[in-house]
Amino acid sequence: MAGPNELLAAIGSVGADRHRGGYSRHVFDDAERELREWYVEQAEARDLRVSTDRNTNIWAWWGDPGDDAVVTGSHLDSVPGGGAFDGPLGVVSSLSAVDILRDAGFRPRRPLAVLVFAEEEGGRFGVPCLGSRLLAGTIDPDRAGALRDPSGLTFAEATRSFGADPARLGRDEEALRRIGQFVELHVEQGRGLIDLDRPVAVASSILAHGRWRFRFRGQGNHAGATLIADRHDPMLPASRLVLEARKAAVGVDGGRATVGRLIPNPGGTNVIASTVDVWLDARSPDDRSTKSMVEDLSGRAAEFAAEEGCQVDVTEESYGATVHFDTAFRDQLSSLLDDAPALPTGAGHDAGILAAEVPTAMLFVRNPTGISHAPEEHAEPDDCAAGAHALARVLAHLAG
């Protein structure tokens, strides 16, 4: 069977974004459906038993499904214009690890599965890790079903068009019971392994992080006929918030605050906007600092809006508290992998959602660019192979 590099190359044209560069693969769109079909074909070619759960996550079992299973995997979707490795590297490495173990004559004593989560990036419906959140019951299924994509289609409607029943969305006790331990391999999203000169690390923690929508409401009007003194332009407080977010992050040790999405309505060049939606991504090493940063920014946004004769509404779209991965599990994997270093991450992952339910760990594969969520994201072929072999070693130890 093919290794991780060959498997990545096989899907290298799927979802390529000619406008943004990189890849745009969003849940239930044509590209993501093609990747799902490809994954199912790859799993079945390995005689894995494939099923899709009530939340549209895909399971591929080596042998019979059962409780206390060793589960690995990641996701296939991307951010808009994302890199080739974020998500798919974990999936192809999991398949490759199965190949490595089979070639070595290994047979698992515990149930073993490769799991692909739906909508990890939140690139279409706005909430990250949606498949794992629904699985674990950390998001209300009615709220999830009512999420809308940029075209106005709800997640419930998209789920139905995919062929699943939106009425069955929600916490899946049977699936959760089957996960005894979960290990996710992922491309590193940072530069830690470059400085350490190591190809693989284990994760120690995930920063507290969330997404908030600031809707600034003003008065839409004509760009030429409306005097400056007569305007209530929501773009002004929105733009001030973008600058204020950077100042707020600098004031918090280890803080991050990013505005990566801003949408004026109606969006005409010669039109003063009536509303402007600004999405804030805020993160820091602890929950208190993250929430405090957002509270301060919400207060400043209200001041900015009032000065322009506008209003602002703030909505928490998603939030994930600080995650500290199971220390004993982490140390076990580090020892198994020649004392692999333990690194924190500022990125959210499905493994972080599951950490509250089951013992969970992560492996990172070195990224020489240090760049992620962009076309320049990269991992060298030798490091990808090293990651797959490391994952195979972990699975053999846990399931043997």
Side-chain angles (χ1 to χ4, degrees), residues 59 82 103 121 159 174 177 209 224 228-229 234 241-242 254 266 326 329 355:
W59 299 71
D103 288 346
E121 297 289 5
T159 299
E174 180 182 5
R177 186 176 64 248
H209 63 284
I228 295 297
L241 176 65
V242 176
D326 185 281
F329 194 15

Side-chain angles (χ1 to χ4, degrees), residues 154-166:
T154 68
F155 182 66
E157 291 168 337
T159 299
R160 187 177 294 109
S161 70
F162 176 70
D165 182 1

Side-chain angles (χ1 to χ4, degrees), residues 18-36:
R18 295 181 180 179
H19 173 66
R20 301 182 181 95
Y23 296 89
S24 294
R25 302 156 164 170
H26 307 310
V27 68
F28 306 146
D29 71 7
D30 290 343
E32 200 256 5
R33 288 187 187 222
E34 184 175 346
L35 290 179
R36 282 173 172 262

Side-chain angles (χ1 to χ4, degrees), residues 86-329:
D86 182 355
L89 180 61
V91 175
V92 302
S93 296
S94 299
L95 294 173
S96 184
V98 170
D99 295 339
I100 292 167
L101 294 177
R102 278 206 169 129
D103 288 346
F106 175 81
R107 292 294 179 267
R109 295 178 181 271
R110 293 170 63 184
L112 194 154
V114 179
L115 175 57
V116 173
F117 289 101
E119 182 72 331
E120 194 270 352
E121 297 289 5
R124 182 174 180 185
F125 291 97
V127 174
C129 300
L130 190 56
S132 55
R133 288 180 191 272
L134 284 164
L135 170 67
T138 61
I139 185 172
D140 181 81
D142 291 334
R143 183 194 165 214
L147 294 171
R148 294 184 182 274
D149 70 6
S151 75
L153 192 74
T154 68
F155 182 66
E157 291 168 337
T159 299
R160 187 177 294 109
S161 70
F162 176 70
D165 182 1
R168 300 188 69 242
L169 294 173
R171 183 176 171 90
D172 191 335
E173 296 288 357
E174 180 182 5
L176 282 172
R177 186 176 64 248
R178 286 181 166 173
I179 306 175
Q181 292 165 303
F182 180 76
V183 181
E184 180 174 3
L185 180 145
H186 204 279
V187 67
E188 184 190 13
Q189 295 170 292
R191 299 181 54 85
L193 283 168
I194 300 173
D195 298 333
L196 294 171
D197 194 27
R198 296 289 296 270
V200 176
V202 296
S204 58
S205 61
I206 297 176
L207 296 183
H209 63 284
R211 300 180 185 186
W212 289 262
R213 184 182 66 189
F214 291 69
R215 172 162 287 179
F216 293 91
R217 294 180 285 111
Q219 177 59 60
N221 215 326
H222 194 291
T226 311
L227 298 176
I228 295 297
D230 295 336
R231 298 185 179 200
H232 304 289
D233 185 351
M235 186 63 78
L236 270 70
S239 61
R240 292 178 70 183
L241 176 65
V242 176
L243 298 174
E244 196 68 22
R246 170 63 68 88
K247 295 178 184 178
V250 170
V252 175
D253 187 24
R256 287 93 148 142
T258 306
V259 173
R261 187 179 177 205
L262 184 153
I263 299 180
N265 179 50
T269 303
N270 59 344
V271 179
I272 299 168
S274 56
T275 64
V276 177
D277 285 342
V278 178
W279 278 265
L280 172 74
D281 180 301
R283 310 176 188 229
S284 82
D286 64 80
D287 301 326
R288 181 188 59 79
S289 296
T290 304
K291 288 294 184 73
S292 176
M293 183 163 50
V294 175
E295 288 173 4
D296 290 344
L297 285 171
S298 298
R300 295 293 284 160
E303 294 174 11
F304 298 154
E307 290 175 15
E308 183 63 16
C310 297
Q311 297 82 41
V312 62
D313 302 313
V314 184
T315 304
E316 182 180 289
E317 298 287 331
S318 66
Y319 184 74
T322 305
V323 173
H324 295 283
F325 288 105
D326 185 281
T327 303
F329 194 15

Side-chain angles (χ1 to χ4, degrees), residues 24-96:
S24 294
R25 302 156 164 170
H26 307 310
V27 68
F28 306 146
D29 71 7
D30 290 343
E32 200 256 5
R33 288 187 187 222
E34 184 175 346
L35 290 179
R36 282 173 172 262
E37 292 171 1
W38 173 86
Y39 170 71
V40 170
E41 290 172 359
Q42 290 294 319
E44 291 178 343
R46 290 163 172 79
D47 295 322
L48 304 181
R49 299 177 56 176
V50 179
S51 62
T52 301
D53 68 21
R54 58 195 291 178
N55 296 303
T56 73
N57 306 306
I58 311 173
W59 299 71
W61 290 90
W62 184 349
D64 294 330
D67 293 350
D68 193 35
V70 176
V71 182
T72 186
S74 193
H75 61 97
L76 291 168
D77 65 307
S78 75
V79 298
F85 296 83
D86 182 355
L89 180 61
V91 175
V92 302
S93 296
S94 299
L95 294 173
S96 184

